[in-house]
Amino acid sequence: MKKENYFCNEPWTGIFSVRTNGDCICCPCYAQVKIGNINETSIQEIWNSPKLIEMRKSFSKGELPEPCINQLCPVVVEKKQDK
């Protein structure tokens, strides 16, 4: 069985969104992963949050991070169409 090779540059280059309550969200269009709160932590801490680091590690290995499974983003959809 062929191993999928997923990659998304969003965890490295994307700009996360900040909600009115201060929650910072990575991938606001699809996974909507809360990576911190601007009222509680610095931008640097949010950028290096454990959830974001884990997503980067997964994509670096070609694996799809857990929050991205079953999403309709182009990274996931294109791989499903390639099968």
Side-chain angles (χ1 to χ4, degrees), residues 23-73:
D23 285 349
C24 296
I25 307 298
C26 175
C27 191
C29 295
Y30 302 104
Q32 299 185 25
V33 177
K34 181 182 172 187
I35 55 174
N37 185 292
I38 196 71
N39 298 318
E40 301 166 1
T41 54
S42 71
I43 294 289
Q44 184 175 4
E45 290 171 311
I46 292 168
W47 186 250
N48 293 303
S49 71
K51 288 182 183 178
L52 203 50
I53 289 172
E54 189 59 39
M55 290 178 79
R56 291 177 185 138
K57 285 180 182 178
S58 292
F59 280 125
S60 291
K61 294 188 265 183
E63 298 170 354
L64 191 63
E66 191 274 327
C68 301
I69 296 171
N70 296 322
Q71 297 296 326
L72 294 175
C73 78

